[in-house]
Amino acid sequence: TAHSTFGPHRGAGAGARGGVGVGGDKAKEGYMHAEIDWDASPTSTDTGTVGAGAGAGVVESIDSAGTTESRSAGTVILAGSGGSGGSSLGLKDADLAEGAGAGAGAGAMATSLVPHRGAVPPTARQLTVAEEKDRKKKKRRLHGGGYDIPRDEKGRLTLGVRRLQNNGPAPEGEPGVFANPDLVPACGIDVILVLDESGSVRDFASQVRNAATAFLGALADTGSQVAVVEFSSEARIPSTIDDYTPVTSGTGGTIESIFEPYLENNYRPGGWTNWDDAMDEAESINTDKGLAPLVVFVTDGDPTAYNRDYSGEDNGVTTGATSGSAADQALWRAMEEANAVKAQGSHILVVGVGAGLNNTDSQQRLRDISGDDEYTGSGTLDLSTVDVLRVLEFNDLATQLRNVAFQLCAPSLTVTKLVDDGTSSGFEEAAGWQFTASVTSGSGTDYVWVSPDAAAPAGSPVSGSTGTDGTLLFQWEPVSPTSSSITVSETQQTNYVFDGVVCLEKSLTTPTPSPLAVTVTGETFTAEVGANTVVTCQVKNKFQPQGTLDGHIYEDTNGN
């Protein structure tokens, strides 16, 4: 089974004697709900039948009422060998596999279907009874499955996944809502920030710019990287931010030199609202630049435009899709693209802002591209599961996006290693420097480590080395909101001497960084970190070759 929404499917086929087709020898129809496993091969380990059978038919996507939504031709080939019969291919439900005899054997299955855009043809397995009940309860949201996507040490995709041009028909009904993968909140991750640039935002452009800057400022100097998508009638990746960009503060930092110039000079609202194309660009970044664990999708209204890029269409853009079937297509196509982004492994946080979304229909559309877990500003924001963040006023957008960033990063301490190697370039970021940290929180061990070693037991020190950007993140999660004490020591490298440490702190209530006093003993320093505080420290070292004192070379009496 394969469909871009990966929702319910129905397969019917006839099996030759000695084999079993999907639906059984009686060509019975049955529902089979698939879960995507990007890393598995299309095989079944259950017992199979003697002989071989082949079934050819159609694959349909259906809604909960049984109405056909879309159809694609395909073939199902089954082969078995072994004992005198057996249950074929792990289709353990009698409604799905009938006509099997007794005995044991081995079977294998392969499927060949027309691929949908955004989908690498997946392998499938039948859901367990518990999963099936949960799926029905979630109203067609496929729940309980994860995605084992191979990644490197930075979390980037190592699997050769590429976006496929859509070869199937345009959606004829509302797609299912794919389950939003849970997020593991952590600092130093890659984030895709998607900004609504449609005409309805024009009067609030300054608030959106301020909110984006607030989000970036909270992430600054923590090792976090941000990519940007802007969308109106069409979506674009800004030419000056065409990859994940490290977020750094200060003179010459990327906020000043890259992000703020883009926001001031290139973010110019106007046009319609194309959610479809915006999600497509986010999917493209995930594919081409590496997977973002979090996509923050900011919008102030309903989708009113969509791409005509399905089979038989002209690859143009339809605008003014405000009612009837055009409005349906604008939403449904956006849902399919959002499903593809979630299938890649990204958690989508939709931030709906402004009075244009203060109605139940618009709020449901926000949930349609993310999920049902909604946060409206009261209580605690659980970033791991929340799907929709509703912000009633544009003036509150900066505070709420800053809150998202601090939920990712607080409490934490990020070390940036700066080294003067004796050349004229002065201090520069340096990779490969090792640091060790220990934390005391509450009664001492009332916390869990998040980074750099989430498996380390509370109370034990953790170690790591600075990356290519010179940073190393230490992050922990207190059991209850309370201040913590963290002690950090560095491992000295030959010919270098410690040259001091400077720390800054920022919090949700005081977002502007301010100096933080630390206690320094030799090459070790200790800092007090609040529960909702992010600390960044620059640790400096200077090059001092062996045989020198204060940078001067001395010669002994033997001429050495």
Side-chain angles (χ1 to χ4, degrees):
T1 61
H3 187 268
S4 64
T5 61
F6 307 112
H9 296 82
R10 178 173 58 200
R17 184 174 182 178
V20 179
V22 175
D25 283 347
K26 297 181 180 180
K28 293 188 64 173
E29 293 181 351
Y31 294 100
M32 182 174 181
H33 305 284
E35 170 182 33
I36 309 312
D37 182 353
W38 300 82
D39 197 31
S41 57
T43 60
S44 171
T45 58
D46 286 50
T47 56
T49 61
V50 174
V58 298
V59 173
E60 299 175 340
S61 173
I62 59 171
D63 63 18
S64 57
T67 304
T68 298
E69 293 182 354
S70 62
R71 175 187 298 252
S72 59
T75 61
V76 179
I77 303 171
L78 305 103
S81 63
S84 60
S87 165
S88 180
L89 303 173
L91 301 180
K92 300 171 185 177
D93 189 329
D95 288 338
L96 292 174
E98 288 198 357
M109 180 179 79
T111 61
S112 174
L113 300 171
V114 178
H116 242 49
R117 178 182 53 182
V120 173
T123 58
R125 69 168 176 83
Q126 184 183 3
L127 297 188
T128 65
V129 173
E131 288 170 332
E132 174 62 9
K133 288 181 178 178
D134 192 56
R135 185 200 66 80
K136 292 179 178 178
K137 183 171 66 175
K138 292 290 184 180
K139 297 181 179 180
R140 297 161 54 226
R141 288 182 61 184
L142 187 62
H143 185 78
Y147 309 98
D148 183 16
I149 305 175
R151 305 175 190 173
D152 61 19
E153 67 278 1
K154 290 185 175 295
R156 294 180 181 270
L157 287 172
T158 58
L159 185 65
V161 178
R162 62 182 181 88
R163 287 191 304 155
L164 302 177
Q165 286 301 112
N166 180 26
N167 295 318
E172 299 176 0
E174 180 178 320
V177 179
F178 206 88
N180 205 1
D182 286 349
L183 174 72
V184 178
C187 210
I189 63 174
D190 291 344
V191 179
I192 300 174
L193 178 62
V194 185
L195 297 176
D196 191 333
E197 199 186 22
S198 62
S200 57
V201 183
R202 185 178 293 112
D203 292 340
F204 307 99
S206 62
Q207 288 95 320
V208 175
R209 293 187 186 102
N210 292 339
T213 302
F215 180 70
L216 295 166
L219 293 177
D221 307 316
T222 64
S224 302
Q225 299 190 116
V226 172
V228 174
V229 174
E230 59 183 16
F231 70 95
S232 52
S233 299
E234 296 181 74
R236 296 160 296 280
I237 297 173
S239 60
T240 55
I241 317 172
D242 61 356
D243 199 347
Y244 293 112
T245 300
V247 184
T248 56
S249 64
T251 303
T254 58
I255 294 179
E256 178 187 81
S257 63
I258 296 177
F259 290 105
E260 286 182 344
Y262 153 70
L263 291 167
E264 291 300 323
N265 302 323
N266 300 103
Y267 178 77
R268 292 285 182 264
W272 300 89
T273 307
N274 194 334
W275 286 3
D276 175 22
D277 205 23
M279 288 294 184
D280 187 61
E281 291 291 1
E283 181 190 0
S284 175
I285 292 173
N286 272 347
T287 302
D288 299 335
K289 306 299 183 181
L291 179 68
L294 176 63
V295 175
V296 179
F297 188 96
V298 181
T299 186
D300 80 321
D302 297 323
T304 57
Y306 61 87
N307 297 346
R308 298 190 302 273
D309 55 0
Y310 281 80
S311 177
E313 295 183 332
D314 62 1
N315 291 320
V317 176
T318 294
T319 59
T322 59
S323 62
S325 60
D328 289 339
Q329 287 296 315
L331 175 62
W332 296 344
R333 295 180 189 219
M335 291 173 68
E336 290 206 335
E337 290 297 342
N339 285 341
V341 172
K342 287 182 278 188
Q344 289 175 311
S346 293
H347 178 86
I348 298 176
L349 174 64
V350 173
V351 182
V353 57
L357 297 172
N358 290 341
N359 63 86
T360 56
D361 289 341
S362 294
Q363 291 162 17
Q364 180 58 50
R365 293 182 189 102
L366 298 179
R367 293 191 289 270
D368 285 341
I369 58 171
S370 54
D372 296 332
D373 194 341
E374 185 173 295
Y375 177 77
T376 57
S378 60
T380 302
L381 172 63
D382 184 356
L383 200 57
S384 63
T385 58
V386 67
D387 304 309
V388 177
L389 170 59
R390 283 178 49 214
V391 184
L392 301 182
E393 302 290 340
F394 272 92
N395 288 336
D396 296 327
L397 183 59
T399 298
Q400 291 303 328
L401 287 188
R402 186 183 293 120
N403 187 20
V404 170
F406 275 95
Q407 287 292 322
L408 285 173
C409 287
S412 67
L413 184 149
T414 300
V415 169
T416 299
K417 166 53 66 176
L418 298 177
V419 169
D420 182 351
D421 62 3
T423 67
S424 59
S425 57
F427 285 100
E428 294 183 335
E429 293 87 356
W433 282 73
Q434 187 176 53
F435 289 84
T436 301
S438 58
V439 166
T440 301
S441 179
S443 64
T445 59
D446 294 341
Y447 66 94
V448 294
W449 279 110
V450 176
S451 181
D453 183 5
S460 65
V462 295
S463 298
S465 297
T466 56
T468 55
D469 60 354
T471 67
L472 174 62
L473 170 71
F474 291 105
Q475 186 173 3
W476 61 99
E477 186 64 33
V479 174
S480 58
T482 184
S483 296
S484 305
S485 176
I486 179 171
T487 298
V488 181
S489 60
E490 72 172 355
T491 301
Q492 276 302 314
Q493 295 190 12
T494 304
N495 294 338
Y496 284 90
V497 294
F498 180 74
D499 195 48
V501 55
V502 177
C503 295
L504 299 175
E505 65 176 343
K506 54 190 173 184
S507 67
L508 187 59
T509 55
T510 309
T512 302
S514 59
L516 173 66
V518 298
T519 303
V520 180
T521 305
E523 297 157 356
T524 298
F525 66 94
T526 300
E528 300 298 322
V529 182
N532 295 306
T533 301
V534 172
V535 174
T536 56
C537 297
Q538 293 183 341
V539 180
K540 296 182 176 181
N541 288 72
K542 282 187 175 182
F543 182 69
Q544 182 170 294
Q546 291 182 352
T548 69
L549 296 174
D550 299 326
H552 299 286
I553 300 177
Y554 290 83
E555 182 178 294
D556 65 18
T557 57
N558 295 319
N560 296 317

